[in-house]
Amino acid sequence: MREMLPALERWYAAGAPFGLATVVAVSRSAPRGPGAAMAVGPDDEVLGSVSGGCVEGAVFELAQEVVASGEARLETFGYSDEDAFAVGLTCGGEITLLVRPVTPESDPTFSEVAASVAAGEPVTVATVVDGPAPRGATLAVWPGAVSGTLGTTGLDAAVTADARGELALGATGLRHYGPRGERREDDVTVFLHSFAPPPRMLVFGAIDYAAAVARIGNFLGYRVTVCDARPVFATPKRFPAGVEVVVDWPHRYLAGTDTDERTVICVLTHDPKFDVPLLEEALRQPAAYIGAMGSRRTHDERRKRLAESGLTGDELARLRSPLGLDLGARTPEEVAVSVAAEIVALRWGGTGAPLTATAGAIHPAGVS
């Protein structure tokens, strides 16, 4: 959805109605998670995907229908054992889509939301999916502002409070309420779609491996910063476009930098005078991943120094060292894939094992 917004904003600004299909719920091995979107605009132009190709043809027709009727629809697609040629998901999963028309009249907050996402400002869009409330109605919620309505003051107030909580976590999903926002009722289903700023990847040590890690971090959607105290190595021309390059002592830069539970920290400095004080700082800050490059011997010596600095066993247990999964990687690009694989596995609880050696759903329910 984030990638589609510039084009959608152009349609919106031109007053061209378009149909927007959004995945609001999944079960079993669904190919795309909640928040995945597809739009059908002027001249039948299609943007995005909701299933990787399984049901896009049917969704294309649905989007045309909702634009023509002006009424949002809720549709579920799954696999039909009785009719293998029916429109459905061949993977055996199930997705539920909200397909709604978008115009300045039906969604007056759309332009504000698009501008906030483009500027990296956090915003959650709440949309009525089902129940005794206007289906497709939207409410945009920022940390300090609200725009739009879901139909009643009570529902708006309850959803606003929940949306801000979800926004702090960067979470997206369904919530249930009574018609006037009652917490213990589930008549009204609302989809909360959070657009939090991209998570940060902090790469320390401007070596050749750092350029490869920064490149794959960009690809995964992180806002990447490379930091090194040596100006001869920390130059923007050595790194991909869009990567921030900072010349500073790594531990000093990190001490003055905000991190959160989504932040990824990769320590590639390979020098005790840099990485020991840096890791001492990193292991006391919130982060999703803290990995350090080095041999087994380097790791043992580094861990001993960190313990001597006063770090607890729980803090030391957060360190992924040597960083990366065992892929047999040799080149900087291969090592970057190894590091990225470990980050993704840790984020979603993956094992890192070959899928041929595992059983059950490939994509657990609720994982996007």
Side-chain angles (χ1 to χ4, degrees), residues 63-264:
Q64 291 180 314
E65 291 171 9
V66 301
V67 169
S69 69
E71 297 181 358
R73 290 174 58 178
L74 190 66
E75 297 286 344
T76 297
F77 293 92
Y79 179 73
S80 172
D81 292 323
E82 292 75 24
D83 184 0
F85 294 98
V87 173
L89 302 182
T90 57
C91 61
E94 186 175 276
I95 60 173
T96 300
L97 305 175
L98 176 68
V99 189
R100 64 186 180 94
V102 179
T103 65
E105 293 74 30
S106 67
D107 190 350
T109 69
F110 188 88
S111 189
E112 295 176 81
V113 169
S116 290
V117 174
E121 299 168 353
V123 60
T124 293
V125 178
T127 308
V128 174
V129 170
D130 204 8
R135 178 177 288 164
T138 59
L139 179 76
V141 181
W142 292 265
V146 178
S147 183
T149 181
L150 302 182
T152 68
T153 302
L155 183 58
D156 288 348
V159 171
T160 295
D162 288 345
R164 286 182 175 144
E166 299 292 84
L167 187 57
L169 300 173
T172 288
L174 294 174
R175 298 296 287 264
H176 303 277
Y177 307 88
R180 290 176 294 279
E182 297 90 341
R183 296 286 183 176
R184 298 188 180 184
E185 298 184 24
D186 58 4
D187 299 317
V188 180
T189 302
V190 177
F191 181 63
L192 301 181
H193 192 174
S194 296
F195 294 91
R200 297 197 67 186
M201 173 182 280
L202 306 177
V203 181
F204 294 96
I207 60 176
D208 48 358
Y209 290 94
V213 170
R215 191 175 300 113
I216 204 165
N218 251 350
F219 177 76
L220 291 176
Y222 287 92
R223 181 163 64 92
V224 182
T225 298
V226 176
C227 176
D228 197 301
R230 301 164 297 180
V232 67
F233 295 113
T235 59
K237 66 181 181 181
R238 299 184 65 231
F239 297 95
V243 171
E244 179 187 29
V245 180
V246 174
V247 179
D248 200 352
W249 279 83
H251 72 282
R252 184 170 61 192
Y253 173 77
L254 183 58
T257 299
D258 290 332
T259 65
D260 61 26
E261 287 73 13
R262 301 184 301 152
T263 303
V264 166

Side-chain angles (χ1 to χ4, degrees), residues 348-365:
W348 297 115
T351 64
L355 288 174
T356 53
T358 64
I362 296 173
H363 305 290

Side-chain angles (χ1 to χ4, degrees), residues 244-290:
E244 179 187 29
V245 180
V246 174
V247 179
D248 200 352
W249 279 83
H251 72 282
R252 184 170 61 192
Y253 173 77
L254 183 58
T257 299
D258 290 332
T259 65
D260 61 26
E261 287 73 13
R262 301 184 301 152
T263 303
V264 166
I265 300 174
C266 299
V267 178
L268 313 179
T269 43
H270 237 328
D271 187 331
K273 70 175 177 289
F274 290 123
D275 57 20
V276 170
L278 170 59
L279 287 170
E280 185 179 350
E281 179 68 35
L283 292 169
R284 289 176 170 142
Q285 289 199 18
Y289 175 91
I290 302 170

Side-chain angles (χ1 to χ4, degrees), residues 42 68 79 333 338:
Y79 179 73
E333 290 73 20
S338 167

